[in-house]
Amino acid sequence: MLAIKRTGCHDGGVIDVPLKRFEELVADALDTIPPELAKLMDNVVVVVVDDPPEPGLLGLYTGIPLTERGGWYSGVLPDHIEIYRNPTLEICETEADVVEEVTITVVHEIAHHFGIDDDRLHALGW
């Protein structure tokens, strides 16, 4: 289980982005994944959830990364990527901030699906 967590907050109120619009932003972020990588994504579902299982999480990947799958991998439930709406909105001041944060979170969690850990992501600037 790998997660993205942010600690920065702004001092204003929470921006209101309705669930349907937030889901569209997640879909838009998924559309930014290069097609050659997107077609390699296998047995993974991405969902929007209002609140995380622990405070501060913006996204969470649960599953078996592609790099760890072997001949034994079959009949397995899909990997699960959750993008958390409320904590994302809490740290954003504008919808543009939400778009940026959602994109970062989606890319981060998809990277975990490809077997890239947090240390490598941080070294790459994510």
Side-chain angles (χ1 to χ4, degrees), residues 24-98:
E24 290 169 357
L25 297 177
V26 170
D28 291 346
L30 288 167
D31 287 344
T32 68
I33 304 302
E36 58 273 11
L37 289 179
K39 70 181 180 182
L40 295 174
M41 292 178 63
D42 183 42
N43 201 28
V44 61
V45 63
V46 179
V47 298
V48 171
V49 177
D50 276 337
D51 296 304
E54 66 179 76
L57 292 180
L58 301 184
L60 181 67
Y61 168 77
T62 306
I64 302 166
L66 294 176
T67 54
E68 295 179 18
R69 296 178 184 181
W72 57 268
Y73 186 85
S74 111
V76 178
L77 291 175
D79 289 5
H80 201 86
I81 293 174
E82 293 181 343
I83 307 299
Y84 300 114
R85 181 174 158 261
N86 288 334
T88 301
L89 299 180
E90 288 171 6
I91 66 167
C92 295
E93 294 182 17
T94 66
E95 187 167 314
D97 293 341
V98 176

